Amino acid sequence: MPIAALSGPQYLREGLKLILSPGLRLFVILPLSVNLLVFLGLIYLAMRQFGNWVDAFMPNLPEWLIFLEYILWPLFVALVVLMVFFTFTLLANIIAAPFNGFLAEKVEMVARGEDSSPPFSWSELLAMLPRTIGREARKLAYFAPRALALLVLSFIPLVNIVAAPLWLLFGIWMMAVQYIDYPADNNKMSWSEMMSWLRGRRWKSLSFGAATYAALLVPVLNLLIMPAAVAGATLFWVREGGSGQSIARS
């Protein structure tokens, strides 16, 4: 892997430090509150249904292969964990999209030295709602068919053994797509242009996505990592040559 990829986790660390600064702390409270509610609801559901989900994915093996259940069980536990994580991340990001887009805009102002303590404005936040929800729908259109294909793969006996690593790789890429899209959308970059921009920085994008993915898997910490990932992705955007000429304003 190229050395340049090592900068990906650094952006996440800097993003975490930035959102804890006095000038931006207020912009984190709203998405953090939303994520907390979604997280608690999904954890409650997962605790009640986890065993049933694992049993549903486990293949029915003939008696002479029954010993393989002890080998395969941890793999399918990992598969369910990854799918629960995907669901939480997807729901939380859809609900918090306007707040995240708003946070990305303020972080970009700070990163470009325009304002170290940008003002909070409910009218500005509400003005971003239609655009950010529309962009989340575009992300969902990209995510859904690929996730569905992986889900189908997860139910095919024996073949589903490769589902967990494929979910992991897809999840890492989606983390980069999810969070870089906020500053890209604020700067009115089209979806195809944004995807091309990411592919042109593939290793850095994947390393940022991997660091974010790993941090989001840690309970409780993941609530703070989401806004940190928004800030880190915005720093990534600014320092890796993202345009700053058309940043959205209300």
Side-chain angles (χ1 to χ4, degrees), residues 154-244:
S154 302
F155 281 103
I156 302 175
L158 300 181
V159 178
N160 55 10
I161 293 174
V162 302
L166 287 178
W167 273 106
L168 178 61
L169 183 60
F170 180 51
I172 287 171
W173 175 246
M174 279 303 303
M175 289 301 98
V177 171
Q178 177 68 47
Y179 291 106
I180 290 293
D181 185 57
Y182 291 120
D185 183 37
N186 283 342
N187 285 276
K188 301 179 183 177
M189 179 178 276
S190 71
W191 176 264
S192 59
E193 289 173 333
M194 186 271 293
M195 295 298 288
S196 178
W197 191 91
L198 274 175
R199 293 187 189 103
R201 297 156 181 81
R202 189 180 302 274
W203 287 115
K204 286 185 179 181
S205 299
L206 287 172
S207 66
F208 174 78
T212 302
Y213 196 107
L216 284 171
L217 286 172
V218 181
V220 182
L221 175 63
N222 58 6
L223 299 173
L224 193 58
I225 288 299
M226 281 194 172
V230 174
T234 305
L235 293 174
F236 186 168
W237 167 267
V238 171
R239 295 178 188 173
E240 297 298 325
S243 171

Side-chain angles (χ1 to χ4, degrees), residues 20-247:
L20 295 176
S21 64
L24 290 172
R25 214 172 285 161
L26 177 62
F27 301 102
V28 177
I29 295 174
L30 286 173
L32 190 61
S33 301
V34 172
N35 290 338
L36 177 61
L37 292 174
V38 175
F39 177 73
L40 291 176
L42 196 58
I43 287 298
Y44 173 76
L45 179 63
M47 289 177 64
R48 292 178 62 90
Q49 299 295 328
F50 191 84
N52 294 333
W53 292 339
V54 174
D55 291 341
F57 285 111
M58 278 286 291
N60 293 319
L61 298 173
E63 287 190 15
W64 63 279
L65 289 177
I66 202 69
F67 69 94
L68 288 177
E69 284 191 0
Y70 299 100
I71 300 173
L72 294 177
W73 189 82
L75 181 63
F76 286 95
V77 167
L79 174 61
V80 171
V81 169
L82 290 173
M83 293 176 69
V84 169
F85 163 76
F86 252 66
T87 304
F88 163 64
T89 304
L90 180 65
L91 289 176
N93 280 312
I94 289 175
I95 295 171
F99 307 112
N100 288 339
F102 192 51
L103 174 61
E105 179 178 313
K106 300 309 178 183
V107 169
E108 184 166 349
M109 291 173 64
V110 173
R112 295 191 187 279
E114 296 178 21
D115 193 340
S116 61
S117 185
F120 182 87
S121 168
W122 279 106
S123 61
E124 187 178 356
L125 174 61
L126 292 173
M128 296 181 70
L129 271 171
R131 195 190 77 243
T132 53
I133 295 299
R135 193 74 167 207
E136 287 302 309
R138 181 62 186 84
K139 273 186 259 190
L140 184 60
Y142 176 84
F143 167 84
R146 293 162 177 82
L148 181 60
L150 287 173
L151 184 61
V152 170
L153 184 66
S154 302
F155 281 103
I156 302 175
L158 300 181
V159 178
N160 55 10
I161 293 174
V162 302
L166 287 178
W167 273 106
L168 178 61
L169 183 60
F170 180 51
I172 287 171
W173 175 246
M174 279 303 303
M175 289 301 98
V177 171
Q178 177 68 47
Y179 291 106
I180 290 293
D181 185 57
Y182 291 120
D185 183 37
N186 283 342
N187 285 276
K188 301 179 183 177
M189 179 178 276
S190 71
W191 176 264
S192 59
E193 289 173 333
M194 186 271 293
M195 295 298 288
S196 178
W197 191 91
L198 274 175
R199 293 187 189 103
R201 297 156 181 81
R202 189 180 302 274
W203 287 115
K204 286 185 179 181
S205 299
L206 287 172
S207 66
F208 174 78
T212 302
Y213 196 107
L216 284 171
L217 286 172
V218 181
V220 182
L221 175 63
N222 58 6
L223 299 173
L224 193 58
I225 288 299
M226 281 194 172
V230 174
T234 305
L235 293 174
F236 186 168
W237 167 267
V238 171
R239 295 178 188 173
E240 297 298 325
S243 171
Q245 301 304 310
S246 58
I247 184 167

